[in-house]
Amino acid sequence: GTLTVGAGGAGAVSVSEGGEVRVAGLLNVGQKTDGALDIASGGTLTVGGRDGNGMGAVLGRDVGVQGKLTVTGSGSTLTVDAGMQVGNAGIGAFSVLDGAIARVGLSTANSELLVGMGHFGFPEGVANGTGTVTVDGVGSTLNYAGGFNLNDGSLAITHGGQLLSQRRDVDTTPVWLDI
């Protein structure tokens, strides 16, 4: 199934203290209302599904809605098999902090990480979303495959954080970083 945080009332979910959550469907954080998802203290979240646009996770889906996903601390991990969109028609924020690890699109051909690309699944003329991606702290790593598109938003890699890209054998296009 799908995990949606912020589907009708402001929502918050925490995966911590070695807890593990596996989502077979999609992850939506900030869909109809604001949402926040925190992975900390050795928590693990794995997302295995994808929508028709190739996205396994969307932060800030609807107009004016905020979706925030934070992975914090050594041993804390996020794995999204397909692509991720940070800021669809809303406002998305994705942070990998203090030695945490995030993997996006390593299992799905031609997936990508989109920041502020806007309105997948919305009619023409709907406002584009905005997004921020932060990787901060020694050992903090965001590993993505396919492409990284930064359209309307920001990318900050600081204090020893790492942004790593890789090409999968099944890809038909090269790895790219568009800023």
Side-chain angles (χ1 to χ4, degrees), residues 122-138:
F122 286 91
E124 189 66 33
V126 172
N128 287 343
T130 61
T132 60
V133 174
T134 303
V135 183
D136 181 75
V138 173

Side-chain angles (χ1 to χ4, degrees), residues 18-60:
E20 183 174 349
V21 174
R22 293 182 182 272
V23 178
L26 308 175
L27 172 66
N28 292 302
V29 181
Q31 185 169 355
K32 302 256 181 241
T33 55
D34 294 350
L37 174 58
D38 294 311
I39 304 164
S41 302
T44 300
L45 175 65
T46 303
V47 180
R50 66 183 176 141
D51 65 13
N53 296 308
M55 297 296 128
V58 178
L59 314 178

Side-chain angles (χ1 to χ4, degrees), residues 41-107:
S41 302
T44 300
L45 175 65
T46 303
V47 180
R50 66 183 176 141
D51 65 13
N53 296 308
M55 297 296 128
V58 178
L59 314 178
R61 183 176 289 276
D62 288 354
V63 174
V65 174
Q66 296 182 27
K68 183 177 178 181
L69 174 55
T70 305
V71 190
T72 306
S74 180
S76 300
T77 60
L78 168 70
T79 302
V80 179
D81 289 344
M84 176 186 283
Q85 189 173 24
V86 182
N88 184 40
I91 303 161
F94 179 39
S95 300
V96 183
L97 309 171
D98 301 326
I101 296 175
R103 300 173 187 96
V104 176
L106 302 185
S107 301

Side-chain angles (χ1 to χ4, degrees), residues 133-163:
V133 174
T134 303
V135 183
D136 181 75
V138 173
S140 299
T141 305
L142 172 53
N143 189 352
Y144 74 95
F148 188 116
N149 286 297
L150 179 60
N151 187 42
D152 188 358
S154 64
L155 170 64
I157 311 297
T158 55
H159 302 108
Q162 298 180 55
L163 177 67

